[in-house]
Amino acid sequence: MDKRIPIVAGNWKMNKTVGEAVELAGLLKQNLQDVKDREIVICPTYISIFAVKEVIKNSNVKLGAQNMYFEKSGAFTGEVSAFMLKNAGCDYVIIGHSERRQYFGETDEGINKKLHVANKEGLIPIVCIGETLTQREKNETFSVIEKQIKTGIAGLDAEQAKKLVVAYEPVWAIGTGKTATPQQAEEVHAFIRKLYSEIYGKDAAECVRILYGGSVKPNNISEIMKQPNIDGGLIGGASLKADDFIKLVRY
Ligand code: PGA
C-alpha cells in the first residue's frame, strides 16, 4: 500500500469576508507552491467558495466546504447541496463538525445521509467525530467514538471506505487552547483504525486518513504528526493567518 499522504486542512468556520478570503487564499497559493508531500485543503464559507476557487485553480491548494445538504436542489431555503459544491470546484466537504452537532442539532443518522450523497457527487467527506469533556471524564470516549463511526460512517463500499477522511476532534480541545496530548490522540486514532478495519477490512483501514483536530498550532503539530495513526490535522483558529497555516503545512 502507498503511504498515506498527510492532509493539512484549514476550517475557516464563520470567518473572513470574500475579500479577506481571496487575500488569504492568494498568500497560501504563493507560499506553498513547492509542497508536494502533503495535501493542502482550505474550507472557506459558502459565499467565498467560488471566488477562492478562481484564486487557487491550477495550484496544489484544494478546496473544501464546511457543510452541505443532502438534497440536490429544491425548496430548502438557506441550504447548499453537494452537487453545487462539486460544481463550484470543491473536492472535499466537512461533515458532522461538532459545532454542527452542538448548535444545529446534527445527528449521526443525518451525518450518514450526507456522507452518502457527498460520495455520490464525487466529494471526499471529512467526517468529524469526538467526545465531549463530560463523556471523557465518564470514561465514555471509546463508546462514543464507536457509535459515531458505526452509525455515522455506515454503509460505504470498498472504494469509498478507502478514500474517506475521518477527523478526530475531542470537543473539549476545539478552540480552547487545550490540545489532547499526542499520546491521548494516538490512543483514539489507533482505536478508530482498528474499528474501521473490523468494519471495512484491513485494506480500507490502511488507506483511510485520520486527522486530528483541536487547538493544533505551529508549535505542537510536529509532535502530533509523529504518531503513527495520525495522518494530518483539521485546523480552525490557526488556519486563519497565512503565516501560521504555512508553518502548519510545513510542519
Ligand atoms: P481549532 O478548531 O483549531 O480552533 O481548535 C478545530 C476545528 O474545529 O476543526
Side-chain angles (χ1 to χ4, degrees):
M1 211 242 9
D2 291 348
K3 210 178 143 358
R4 297 184 291 272
I5 298 171
I7 299 179
V8 181
N11 173 9
W12 293 0
K13 307 193 180 183
M14 197 174 73
N15 293 292
K16 311 262 174 217
T17 61
V18 177
E20 290 164 349
V22 163
E23 190 189 339
L24 177 55
L27 286 168
L28 299 178
K29 174 185 165 169
Q30 222 175 8
N31 290 284
L32 292 170
Q33 292 178 40
D34 59 310
V35 176
K36 300 216 162 56
D37 54 352
R38 42 211 65 164
E39 245 178 273
I40 307 161
V41 181
I42 52 177
C43 305
T45 63
Y46 286 143
I47 53 164
S48 296
I49 280 176
F50 194 73
V52 165
K53 181 66 196 180
E54 285 300 300
V55 176
I56 60 175
K57 70 178 171 207
N58 303 321
S59 82
N60 56 347
V61 181
K62 295 182 177 169
L63 192 59
Q66 299 173 18
N67 183 30
M68 54 164 280
Y69 193 56
F70 63 85
E71 294 285 359
K72 192 168 182 176
S73 64
F76 303 101
T77 302
E79 294 298 322
V80 174
S81 73
F83 169 74
M84 291 167 179
L85 294 172
K86 181 72 188 178
N87 182 264
C90 288
D91 289 312
Y92 288 89
V93 60
I94 298 172
I95 298 178
H97 189 278
S98 70
E99 285 148 20
R100 302 278 334 154
R101 296 175 188 256
Q102 203 178 338
Y103 306 130
F104 303 97
E106 294 210 15
T107 62
D108 290 319
E109 288 76 10
I111 286 160
N112 189 249
K113 222 167 171 176
K114 291 184 178 189
L115 171 76
H116 285 285
V117 175
N119 275 325
K120 185 171 152 261
E121 297 297 348
L123 292 169
I124 299 176
I126 302 174
V127 182
C128 301
I129 56 177
E131 80 289 357
T132 62
L133 185 58
T134 323
Q135 289 165 335
R136 176 162 280 262
E137 283 170 352
K138 288 203 256 165
N139 281 324
E140 291 172 359
T141 300
F142 295 111
S143 58
V144 167
I145 296 289
E146 184 164 346
K147 182 188 176 260
Q148 289 174 335
I149 292 181
K150 287 193 167 162
T151 310
I153 308 182
L156 299 176
D157 69 28
E159 233 9 74
Q160 294 166 347
K162 280 186 190 171
K163 277 201 188 147
L164 188 81
V165 179
V166 176
Y168 169 58
E169 302 202 298
V171 179
W172 48 272
I174 296 178
T176 56
K178 279 191 219 161
T179 338
T181 63
Q183 294 70 28
Q184 274 175 326
E186 171 60 19
E187 192 187 19
V188 180
H189 281 237
F191 174 78
I192 294 169
R193 203 175 303 282
K194 184 169 157 280
L195 189 63
Y196 205 80
S197 170
E198 285 163 22
I199 302 170
Y200 292 115
K202 223 172 146 230
D203 260 16
E206 273 176 24
C207 292
V208 66
R209 283 174 292 179
I210 309 173
L211 315 184
Y212 170 78
S215 300
V216 178
K217 309 283 177 210
N219 66 3
N220 60 23
I221 190 165
S222 321
E223 282 308 308
I224 293 169
M225 288 306 300
K226 276 184 196 153
Q227 305 303 312
N229 285 293
I230 300 185
D231 308 313
L234 180 57
I235 297 142
S239 71
L240 297 171
K241 287 198 200 120
D243 286 356
D244 282 349
F245 194 68
I246 291 162
K247 284 185 198 144
L248 285 160
V249 171
R250 297 184 185 282
Y251 67 83

